[in-house]
Amino acid sequence: MNSPKSLIPAWQTRLFAVSVFVLAISGLGQMPLFKRYYIADIPGLAWTADFFVQHVLHYVAAAVFLALVAYWAVIHLRVLSRTCRITLWGRLRVAAVAALIGSGFFRVLKNLPEWSFSPEAVMLIGWSHLAAALLFGVLALLARVSGNSAYVTPRFPE
Amino acid sequence: MHDVKDGAVARPSTLSRRTFLKTAGVVGAAAVLPMNAGSVGAAGRPEELATVLDISQCIGCGACVEACREINGHKHPKPEKPFPEMFPKRVQAEDWTERRFTDDRLTPFNWLYIQTAAGEWNGKPFELHIPRRCLHCQNPPCANLCPWGAALRQADGIVRINEKICLGGGKCRDVCPWEIPQRQTGVGLYLDLMPRIAGNGVMYKCDRCYQRVAQGHEPACIEVCPMHIQHIGPRSEMLELARKLAADMDGYVYGAEENGGANTFYVSPVPFDVLNATLQTGPGRPHLKPVQDVMAKAENLTWALVAAPLAGIAAGLLTGARAMAQKESGHE
Ligand code: SF4
Ligand code: SF4
Ligand code: SF4
């Protein structure tokens, strides 16, 4: 049978976790906090206050994150959805990820010299990306502590 | 990319004011409408506005500095005192209210100042005055990297900071190659959020008189200058003018390539590295050094953000097809 396990190997989930971790750190690092709160003073962590390093990290981690999400979405639609369904906690987190990707898309667009948005739109893009990240973080935490971290569950339990 | 060949270009007569008004009017009315062919950029949208400053003509009278303060005074900070205490202790308040009349550097109350370069070049003494303010970069790190959506670049190329939501973290100043934006503590949205632990006021800089420009007027500093050293208009025309002025005086242009291209071109009869060596630089007093495009790396990575999900989809389709085939042919 095509189980989630056989189609989504452990290295992928581990890579996903790493990309989320790097996205969270480099996302926080976009804000001028690591210097204010002495993190950048810790030997070896001076880079956390380098906004250009953080920006490049965020883009690289986002590329990994997007590749995995796209891969899993296709696998789910084409194969897994026949035998598995997405759990409630899965649905919530998928919605948060969709909001993150959507707002992130516009943020990347805004950073290209060819695109300009109104002040209100720029604010909306920035704030919704932050809100989506916060939402995903809270949901991921709640899912884990409540023991509901699985995204999918078999439709026909054996 | 922004390279334009120097050479014999006919000097556009009185172009700046006329085309500027045309550009400004349309950009102001509808930021996305295409305009007359001459000022529509390659992407089919109105071209950004740029300024040319012929510093060989500046007499350092300071009329532009005065005009900037007067016209934009209503946008200057009105901080509330006492300032909330900030945590941790290392976070210092930046207060300019006692020094609001300082005019020999950039401050939240002074978005333009006159820098003077004096020395000797080619065996001849020179003294040149350089009006300094934000250069309005084409790919501005201050706006791209603002995490809060407060700094932005308009379709007409004006880069400004939305003072209603700026938290004064000062990242825009840290990432600006010239450290242009200036902070005033005790004002802005951070006071309504968590003033002790995040934010520190509002960042201020030249906003190219965006309200005046939207109404088809010139920025105050340009209009008031008795020597007419500044011109404003579509970028390509301004660049052409800058190159022409430079060629006429056997001089140099600063801003065309700096930071990947700015929308401010200084024209000088003396090389900019020579000027820079004589300048007094430091906080609020920007340099005139060559500047690499600081956004280039991240911009080049944009392709990865497009390619990655496509690769994911392709891999998913392949694996999916293989899984289906395996299932149909009966083996696990
Ligand atoms: S008003 Fe004109 S001449 Fe006077 S300082 Fe300003 S740019 Fe120079
Ligand atoms: S000069 Fe500095 S403040 Fe002005 S647009 Fe460029 S990066 Fe931003
Ligand atoms: S363009 Fe306007 S805001 Fe900028 S320096 Fe000139 S007068 Fe001041």
Side-chain angles (χ1 to χ4, degrees), chain B residues 35-46:
Chain B
M35 300 176 302
N36 59 316
S39 45
V40 176
R45 58 178 198 131

Side-chain angles (χ1 to χ4, degrees), chain A residues 1-2 7 30-32 35-38 41 51-52 55-56 59-60 62-63 66-67 70-71 74-75 78-79 82 107-108 110-117 119 122-123 126-127 130, chain B residues 45 87-88 90-91 139 143-149 153-155 160 165 171 174-175 196-199 294-295 298-299 301-302 305 308-309 312 315-317 319-320 323-324 327 332:
Chain A
M1 214 188 84
N2 287 311
L7 283 167
Q30 303 298 317
M31 282 168 271
K35 192 162 163 206
R36 177 166 178 159
Y37 289 106
Y38 299 93
D41 294 344
F51 295 119
F52 294 106
H55 192 229
V56 165
Y59 270 35
V60 170
L66 284 171
Y71 176 78
V74 172
I75 292 285
R78 299 262 306 181
V79 188
R82 289 154 206 247
R107 226 181 174 302
V108 171
K110 174 191 87 66
N111 283 359
L112 292 174
E114 292 79 14
W115 290 83
S116 296
F117 293 92
V122 170
M123 187 172 96
W127 289 14
L130 279 170
Chain B
R45 58 178 198 131
F87 179 83
R90 72 150 62 161
V91 185
N139 201 7
N144 290 345
L145 297 179
C146 173
W148 193 237
R153 185 203 50 230
Q154 299 184 167
R160 64 186 180 90
I165 64 163
K171 182 180 178 183
D174 290 345
V175 297
R196 264 180 63 76
I197 62 168
V294 296
M295 292 308 302
E299 209 181 311
L301 272 172
T302 305
L305 295 177
L317 288 175
T319 313
M324 305 283 281
K327 201 174 164 199
E332 262 272 35

Side-chain angles (χ1 to χ4, degrees), chain B residues 206-258:
Chain B
C206 158
D207 60 13
R208 194 159 266 178
C209 296
Y210 72 97
Q211 291 115 324
R212 286 173 62 86
V213 168
Q215 292 164 0
H217 300 296
E218 287 183 330
C221 57
I222 299 185
E223 196 174 83
V224 79
C225 176
M227 305 302 291
H228 308 290
I229 80 146
Q230 287 200 62
H231 308 263
I232 185 166
R235 189 176 201 274
S236 57
E237 289 175 29
M238 290 300 104
L239 192 54
E240 203 173 304
L241 175 61
R243 304 245 194 241
K244 174 76 174 81
L245 288 171
D248 286 353
M249 70 173 83
D250 205 7
Y252 306 84
V253 177
Y254 185 84
E257 263 91 42
E258 270 62 35

Side-chain angles (χ1 to χ4, degrees), chain B:
Chain B
M1 198 165 68
H2 307 296
D3 197 34
V4 174
K5 275 233 158 61
D6 284 341
V9 277
R11 180 168 185 167
S13 59
T14 65
L15 107 148
S16 65
R17 195 175 166 90
R18 207 183 54 236
T19 24
F20 162 70
L21 293 178
K22 224 188 290 170
T23 311
V26 181
V27 171
V32 286
L33 281 181
M35 300 176 302
N36 59 316
S39 45
V40 176
R45 58 178 198 131
E47 216 187 313
E48 296 153 295
L49 292 171
T51 54
V52 177
L53 294 93
D54 177 357
I55 65 170
S56 70
Q57 299 299 313
C58 177
I59 54 173
C61 66
C64 51
V65 179
E66 275 308 306
C68 178
R69 281 171 169 273
E70 207 175 298
I71 293 291
N72 296 306
H74 65 283
K75 294 179 253 175
H76 289 171
K78 295 164 200 71
E80 297 164 22
K81 286 193 186 178
F83 301 147
E85 210 163 284
M86 283 176 295
F87 179 83
K89 275 266 175 292
R90 72 150 62 161
V91 185
Q92 299 288 320
E94 279 183 64
D95 181 19
W96 285 93
T97 48
E98 304 297 321
R99 294 169 288 166
R100 61 171 68 224
F101 299 111
T102 297
D103 65 359
D104 62 350
R105 56 163 285 174
L106 300 173
T107 81
F109 295 89
N110 201 61
W111 304 349
L112 165 68
Y113 86 106
I114 305 298
Q115 201 171 38
T116 299
E120 203 172 289
W121 188 64
N122 264 354
K124 281 190 227 122
F126 66 83
E127 188 183 56
L128 290 164
H129 306 289
I130 315 152
R132 296 306 301 270
R133 46 139 172 95
C134 168
L135 285 87
H136 299 274
C137 304
Q138 291 195 289
N139 201 7
C142 59
N144 290 345
L145 297 179
C146 173
W148 193 237
L152 63 118
R153 185 203 50 230
Q154 299 184 167
D156 58 7
I158 293 178
V159 181
R160 64 186 180 90
I161 298 168
N162 184 346
E163 78 281 359
K164 287 198 194 76
I165 64 163
C166 173
L167 297 178
K171 182 180 178 183
C172 50
R173 176 169 59 194
D174 290 345
V175 297
C176 169
W178 297 275
E179 298 177 30
I180 297 285
Q182 299 292 317
R183 171 159 52 205
Q184 171 63 49
T185 300
V187 57
L189 184 63
Y190 91 112
L191 293 172
D192 302 324
L193 300 175
M194 301 169 291
R196 264 180 63 76
I197 62 168
N200 189 359
V202 171
M203 307 302 294
Y204 294 89
K205 69 171 193 70
C206 158
D207 60 13
R208 194 159 266 178
C209 296
Y210 72 97
Q211 291 115 324
R212 286 173 62 86
V213 168
Q215 292 164 0
H217 300 296
E218 287 183 330
C221 57
I222 299 185
E223 196 174 83
V224 79
C225 176
M227 305 302 291
H228 308 290
I229 80 146
Q230 287 200 62
H231 308 263
I232 185 166
R235 189 176 201 274
S236 57
E237 289 175 29
M238 290 300 104
L239 192 54
E240 203 173 304
L241 175 61
R243 304 245 194 241
K244 174 76 174 81
L245 288 171
D248 286 353
M249 70 173 83
D250 205 7
Y252 306 84
V253 177
Y254 185 84
E257 263 91 42
E258 270 62 35
N259 196 19
N263 279 319
T264 298
F265 311 127
Y266 290 102
V267 181
S268 162
V270 177
F272 286 93
D273 55 338
V274 175
L275 295 183
N276 186 64
T278 76
L279 290 180
Q280 195 198 351
T281 56
R285 298 191 175 106
H287 61 79
L288 279 171
K289 289 188 265 200
V291 172
Q292 296 291 310
D293 183 355
V294 296
M295 292 308 302
K297 247 188 226 141
E299 209 181 311
N300 291 340
L301 272 172
T302 305
W303 68 264
L305 295 177
V306 178
L310 293 180
I313 290 172
L317 288 175
L318 270 177
T319 313
R322 211 180 302 131
M324 305 283 281
Q326 272 175 5
K327 201 174 164 199
E328 264 146 39
S329 70
H331 41 259
E332 262 272 35

